[in-house]
Amino acid sequence: MCPPEHFGVLYEINPWMHHRVPVDRERAHSQWEQLKRTLEQAGAQVEVQEPRPDLPDLVFTANAGIVNGSQFVPSRFRHPERQAEEPHDVAWFESHGFTVEHLPEHVHHEGAGDALPFGDVLLSGYRFRSDAASHAYLSRLTGAAVRSVELADDRLYHLDLTFCPLDERRAIVAPDGWDAYGRKVVEALVPEPLVLDLDETLAFCANSVVVGSTVVMARCPPAVGRRLEAWGFDVAVCDVGEFLKAGGACRCLTLALDVTVGPQGARSAGPGGRSADSSTPS
Amino acid sequence: MATEVVEVEGHIIDSLILAKILDTIVDAGADYRIVDVQIGRASTDTSRARIEMVGDDDVLTTLVSRLQLHGANRVVDVDATLQACDRDGVLPEGFYSTTNLATEVRVHGRWIEVENPEMDCAVVVDNVGGVDGGHARTTPMHRVRRGDHVVVGLDGVRVQPLERPRGANPFEFMASEVSSEKPKEVLVAEVADRIRGCKDAGGKLLAVCGPAVIHTGAGPDVARLVRKGWVDVLFAGNGFAAHDIESNVLGTSLGVLLREGRPVEHGHSNHLRVINEIRRRGSIAAAVDDGYLTGGVMYECVTHDVPFVLGGSVRDDGPLPDVYTDVVEAADAMRALVPGVSVSVMLASTLHAIATGNLLPAGVETFVVDINQAVVTKLADRGSHQALGIVTDVGLFAGLLADSLCP
């Protein structure tokens, strides 16, 4: 995670962002601290990346890249506003012993924001921030089969606003965010989906972090909570309202470091599994 | 109508990307052809597809940008490389060697069709830079002239694979099948149907005959097919024509009485005597004119204006004056008669069947009838894709075919 020292809505690169809506930096900081504490209480160990004054969105670490064991594939950001984050992310991962491998320069892909492992495959979104053409390169670099899903709603500009793996059979899914082909692909992929309606989706329910059996969410509508609890998950609600002003919630603020993608990736059960499980790159 | 080619790679099958791309093309009102597809074996392997789209220029322009969204990128074609010949009859090094499939070459950004597909030739592009964008033709090595622009390398050349309908019977699957264990009458009836189909569509029938046609007594049957207008072009050798004439003038084929099947005394020289008489008259047509030759396949060809080429060989007797003794000239004469042919029947002829097979475009339906399976296989092995081999006695086959087509 990266503390929101310099967070703010300084530009507009998604429909949630309005630079005239001010961010309460103090509030943002306490919300971020609360999220970090909640994750730690759920059993996660949190590494902190140093913030940079010129990079307000560095706080959304999910977009740094894709972690695959000791491999790190840094993002190729679509917007110039975020492209300067890349060298900073690469430096962090290199200094922490990761092997950094790059996507070619002519494709865009925004890391774990647009690619989440489920079962043996890596589900990856494309259209608003990532290119479909990046998926074949991603597959080649990570060794994982990639299922491509076209995102259909610009408010749901990253896959992680529409999809949240819970364990090897279950995931929170938001079909409103995908085109008809993408819905079929996810339908074939996820045996037990928790389907969100559009309101639940726009409440960032899919942008949740799963640590063991705890699902950390920005908001939890009753229907969603009941379903998760019936499956044996504990729901922890963390208000990240200041960050919603930039179009990001809990998962956007985290990047799981214990992820292995593809067929070799060891999966752990959801409830009752390891504290920070590998099926949940946040 | 314009053409664009896009290529897409990834887990395009499971991600339904390929389906989406094809749907998008059809929805836009364009047509597509999957030029190449490689499906990954393991689930982690990516697949790759190359899709050719045909449609209006503006539709394709929009499509290309829409498909880019799904990861399909335009394949940038390059023009064919042309090099001028520096000597008559000699191709530039690295010349493109043709197949017998329909072929196009790209010149100044436009794909132009190569005329007269023929295997083992070069492609010469004429009028390069002309207002019509030039035209391309297959040309055998000996025919190129100094200054001819010949395609070298593989860039800017594309070949249309044959569409092979798949089905249960050998006619649905015309893929060099050799059938020795099929009911012959059924096969003959179907060959007759295919010939009718091709002729109805305006195509020509080419018959290629070996001397065994005459030896086995099938001469009158083939003559009947010529007389009734089924045969449009005939290729044969000195032997076939000589024995056809011998049988009509003297009643023997290689000295054997066709009616009785027994040799006549001194019959071995019969064919030499008729060849000599034809040579005396100057040509087969002259022998028909003066009443020396009054029946048979060659007679029918002359009287019904069916063009023929008699190609010579080293062991020919005589030969007949109509025989091309220069093999290169013979091949050129045959080549000149190939355009328009859509079906060919090769009857008991090894040499001429293979020579003809080399000249024919792949789309020509070819029926090879021979008692020897090796001939049929050999023709197939040389790349004459659309060949159906029928292993049987040509005498019986030709009789049945003539009965079927000329009831």
Side-chain angles (χ1 to χ4, degrees), chain A residues 126 140 146 148 150 179 181, chain B residues 9 11 15 20 23 69-70:
Chain A
Y126 73 89
R140 220 167 286 151
V146 176
S148 308
E150 183 179 349
D179 77 339
Y181 299 87
Chain B
E9 193 196 347
H11 294 90
S15 296
K20 178 169 6 187
D23 290 350
L69 173 69
H70 307 305

Side-chain angles (χ1 to χ4, degrees), chain B residues 173-188:
Chain B
F173 189 72
M174 290 267 299
S176 312
E177 290 280 304
V178 176
S179 64
S180 56
E181 294 166 341
K182 299 260 164 41
K184 291 298 170 303
E185 286 188 33
V186 177
L187 284 177
V188 170

Side-chain angles (χ1 to χ4, degrees), chain A residues 232-252:
Chain A
F233 291 94
D234 299 317
V235 176
V237 174
C238 262
D239 179 14
V240 287
E242 290 309 304
F243 300 97
L244 299 187
K245 293 174 181 172
C250 301
R251 181 185 282 272
C252 289

Side-chain angles (χ1 to χ4, degrees), chain B residues 109-388:
Chain B
R110 295 198 76 84
W111 287 100
I112 53 180
E113 199 177 328
V114 178
E115 291 164 19
N116 303 329
E118 181 185 331
M119 69 168 84
D120 303 336
C121 286
V123 176
V124 171
V125 179
D126 298 313
N127 194 20
V128 185
V131 276
D132 62 348
H135 76 274
R137 57 189 162 90
T138 54
T139 308
M141 194 181 289
H142 68 271
R143 284 263 203 102
V144 294
R145 291 290 165 263
R146 184 159 183 254
D148 278 355
H149 288 90
V150 171
V151 175
V152 294
L154 296 171
D155 285 345
V157 179
R158 67 182 181 193
V159 171
Q160 306 271 356
L162 269 190
E163 300 281 333
R164 281 187 185 161
R166 283 155 202 268
N169 81 48
F171 287 89
E172 287 170 55
F173 189 72
M174 290 267 299
S176 312
E177 290 280 304
V178 176
S179 64
S180 56
E181 294 166 341
K182 299 260 164 41
K184 291 298 170 303
E185 286 188 33
V186 177
L187 284 177
V188 170
E190 297 211 40
V191 172
D193 272 351
R194 305 291 282 217
I195 290 174
R196 271 190 212 100
C198 289
K199 295 278 287 183
D200 287 350
K204 290 181 184 173
L205 168 66
L206 162 67
V208 183
C209 298
V213 171
I214 307 300
H215 299 329
T216 55
D221 298 313
V222 176
R224 189 152 43 121
L225 289 169
V226 177
R227 188 163 61 242
K228 296 285 185 185
W230 288 103
V231 176
D232 300 289
V233 182
L234 175 78
F235 291 168
N238 186 60
F240 170 81
H243 294 303
D244 172 60
I245 295 166
E246 177 197 349
S247 68
N248 278 278
V249 174
L250 300 173
T252 60
S253 185
L254 208 59
V256 175
L257 275 172
L258 286 173
R259 285 179 190 283
E260 299 172 28
R262 66 174 174 83
V264 296
E265 207 171 334
H266 305 300
H268 66 276
S269 62
N270 279 1
H271 68 286
L272 296 174
R273 295 183 195 286
V274 297
I275 290 170
N276 191 46
E277 289 309 308
I278 302 292
R279 289 178 68 90
R280 185 189 310 284
R281 284 159 178 82
S283 71
I284 297 172
V288 171
D289 281 347
D290 80 352
Y292 176 77
L293 180 60
T294 57
V297 179
M298 299 316 298
Y299 168 85
E300 299 294 352
C301 284
V302 170
T303 54
H304 290 87
D305 287 327
V306 171
F308 58 85
V309 175
L310 303 179
S313 73
V314 181
R315 41 137 220 215
D316 283 347
D317 290 324
L320 288 164
D322 302 73
V323 169
Y324 285 89
T325 52
D326 179 323
V327 287
V328 175
E329 278 178 27
D332 283 348
M334 291 163 76
R335 197 170 269 129
L337 294 178
V338 164
V341 169
S342 67
V343 57
S344 77
V345 181
M346 303 186 175
L347 303 171
S349 158
T350 309
L351 198 62
H352 298 279
I354 292 169
T356 307
N358 287 356
L359 297 177
L360 293 179
V364 175
E365 287 190 20
T366 302
F367 302 98
V368 187
V369 183
D370 208 291
I371 197 79
N372 181 358
Q373 179 151 342
V375 175
V376 171
T377 311
K378 196 171 168 75
L379 195 71
D381 286 350
R382 293 178 71 88
S384 307
H385 301 299
Q386 288 279 90
L388 179 81

